[in-house]
Amino acid sequence: MINQLIESAFLAYRSPNRTQYVFNQSVGTNLDAVCYYLEQAIDLNPKQTDLRLTLANMYSFQGDIEQALAIYYDCFTQTPQKDKRIVSLCYLIVWYHYLSEHKRVDDHLAHLSQISPPEARQVKQLLQTIEHILAKPINYVQTTPSQRVGTKMVCPASSYLTGTEPQHKAIIILGYKLNDDGTIPPMLLERLKAALTVINASPEQRIFVTGGLAQAGVTEAVAMQQWLIANQVAANRITLEDKATNTLDNAAFTLAQLQHQNIEHAYLVSASIHVHRCEIIFAATQLHQQQLKYQYKSNQKNKQPTFIQFNHYSARDGLSSQPQPEGKVRLDCYIDALRSFGLPAFCTTHFTQD
């Protein structure tokens, strides 16, 4: 019975039907359904910590942070398992940071330091990463006719051309759902125009297009590649990542390619409401990957991992009214930070997918 409830919860979580999900003879959001099924399963087995952690995650996704924190704290105090106590503390620290309750952040970091000093150091790095990225204003690209030089667009942010050698830099364009016939929709077209400005101002840098969702047999990455080539971008500059179906996969798959090509600095191009999330996802994914390598390679114990530096550009798409993330966008930044850091949303014994 519990397994059936968990499976129903997982199916609801993965459903593309986000607002009109039918469950228990009623209709609600798919997350409402997930919470209903998980609560039923927990009633049958109140001591299964993974179920309670997953339920808390669902509450955080819905913006009910206080309810989520109460469950995380219960998990921390009631489970004897060290690994579950560590995970619970990680959630408590990050979500109290979201609430700007710094005294509680420090208290829980102290607990985590007692249990696992390496984990505490990693979480501190994650918090520093989040703070650094959320403090940045949106870096818009201007694509007005006055910026044209010949047939090319000049990027107004000349700082992009300084510092790291050009061959160690990259421009990453994040995908967006294509039209049903596989053509490029207006939102993605604006993103590509912004990217082209940066590309033409940075003629030696590598270009990565990422996105594996397909329409009419064409993936986002392939559609972007074709558009760039049609706009006089050399095909040999472009690296294709056409397997990812979400931004977390975009980061994991593209990072492998960046590392293989010895990229040291990369700019992400996406929507104004998405650029901070993209940066956090790429940075936190890299942090998680590097820490795993650092933990398991004894010959690197005294070496600090080398990180690719990330920044962003956005088209002036009118989606953001503020220079920094607020409201739901800021909430999503924290959700994605945790998931990218190796803490999946759905973390029961049977299902651990993001």
Side-chain angles (χ1 to χ4, degrees):
M1 182 62 178
I2 287 181
N3 287 345
Q4 291 176 345
L5 290 167
I6 294 172
E7 184 172 1
S8 295
F10 184 71
L11 290 173
Y13 173 69
R14 300 291 286 186
S15 174
N17 178 6
R18 302 299 176 89
T19 58
Q20 297 294 315
Y21 200 89
V22 179
F23 66 99
N24 190 35
Q25 300 181 332
S26 63
V27 178
T29 69
N30 67 318
L31 293 182
D32 291 335
V34 176
C35 291
Y36 169 79
Y37 291 122
L38 288 175
E39 287 164 356
Q40 299 297 308
I42 290 168
D43 284 343
L44 296 175
N45 187 358
K47 294 185 179 181
Q48 189 167 336
T49 302
D50 285 346
L51 282 177
R52 291 188 290 159
L53 288 172
T54 303
L55 179 61
N57 289 342
M58 296 305 114
Y59 282 134
S60 72
F61 289 4
Q62 294 177 310
D64 191 348
I65 307 304
E66 294 294 344
Q67 179 77 346
L69 284 167
I71 298 174
Y72 292 135
Y73 186 74
D74 284 345
C75 291
F76 167 60
T77 57
Q78 294 175 14
T79 181
Q81 297 171 282
K82 179 181 176 180
D83 60 332
K84 298 298 188 297
R85 286 168 60 81
I86 290 172
V87 168
S88 302
L89 280 171
C90 289
Y91 283 120
L92 286 166
I93 291 164
V94 172
W95 283 117
Y96 275 122
H97 187 273
Y98 167 81
L99 296 176
S100 299
E101 296 194 21
H102 302 299
K103 175 65 165 60
R104 290 179 183 256
V105 170
D106 292 342
D107 289 345
H108 289 305
L109 270 172
H111 282 300
L112 185 56
S113 295
Q114 292 174 353
I115 299 172
S116 175
E119 291 283 352
R121 287 193 294 271
Q122 292 168 30
V123 174
K124 285 180 182 178
Q125 282 187 279
L126 178 64
L127 297 183
Q128 290 167 357
T129 298
I130 293 171
E131 288 176 359
H132 172 68
I133 294 172
L134 291 184
K136 297 179 182 180
I138 297 171
N139 193 12
Y140 288 108
V141 174
Q142 300 288 350
T143 55
T144 61
S146 62
Q147 292 175 281
R148 294 185 180 276
V149 177
T151 60
K152 292 189 175 184
M153 300 290 291
V154 176
C155 176
S158 59
S159 61
Y160 185 74
L161 303 175
T162 63
T164 306
E165 291 298 319
Q167 63 267 29
H168 297 301
K169 286 188 173 184
I171 300 158
I172 304 167
I173 311 171
L174 280 294
Y176 184 86
K177 185 179 179 181
L178 302 175
N179 295 325
D180 291 342
D181 61 356
T183 56
I184 292 173
M187 281 293 297
L188 184 54
L189 181 59
E190 288 301 310
R191 190 176 305 181
L192 284 165
K193 288 179 179 178
L196 187 61
T197 302
V198 183
I199 288 166
N200 286 337
S202 314
E204 296 183 53
Q205 279 132 46
R206 298 293 306 169
I207 303 158
F208 294 77
V209 289
T210 175
L213 291 174
Q215 296 288 348
V218 180
T219 64
E220 301 155 291
V222 168
M224 290 189 289
Q225 179 191 46
Q226 292 172 348
W227 187 91
L228 290 171
I229 292 172
N231 282 271
Q232 289 76 53
V233 177
N236 62 6
R237 291 183 64 188
I238 305 170
T239 298
L240 202 67
E241 188 294 291
D242 61 351
K243 306 299 180 187
T245 58
N246 57 57
T247 310
L248 272 71
D249 286 344
N250 288 151
F253 298 160
T254 306
L255 274 169
Q257 296 177 328
L258 294 171
Q259 292 157 356
H260 179 71
Q261 297 191 33
N262 298 315
I263 299 299
E264 297 176 7
H265 197 142
Y267 271 74
L268 301 159
V269 184
S270 191
S272 59
I273 60 171
H274 195 227
V275 286
H276 290 90
R277 287 178 64 189
C278 290
E279 265 202 73
I280 285 173
I281 289 170
F282 272 75
T285 299
Q286 179 179 227
L287 178 62
H288 180 56
Q289 291 177 351
Q290 294 283 11
Q291 291 294 351
L292 289 177
K293 292 178 184 177
Y294 185 64
Q295 288 173 14
Y296 292 108
K297 289 187 177 181
S298 58
N299 63 340
Q300 293 186 359
K301 277 186 178 179
N302 297 319
K303 294 182 180 179
Q304 291 298 320
T306 300
F307 292 103
I308 298 168
Q309 299 299 311
F310 289 98
N311 213 314
H312 72 258
Y313 283 114
S314 171
R316 286 196 174 274
D317 51 26
L319 296 176
S320 293
S321 59
Q322 300 297 325
Q324 280 101 9
E326 294 184 350
K328 180 68 164 57
V329 176
R330 182 171 178 270
L331 175 73
D332 287 340
C333 286
Y334 276 82
I335 291 170
D336 286 340
L338 285 162
R339 295 169 70 194
S340 307
F341 194 61
L343 296 169
F346 212 92
C347 52
T348 70
T349 302
H350 303 287
F351 302 98
T352 57
Q353 294 91 334
D354 290 325

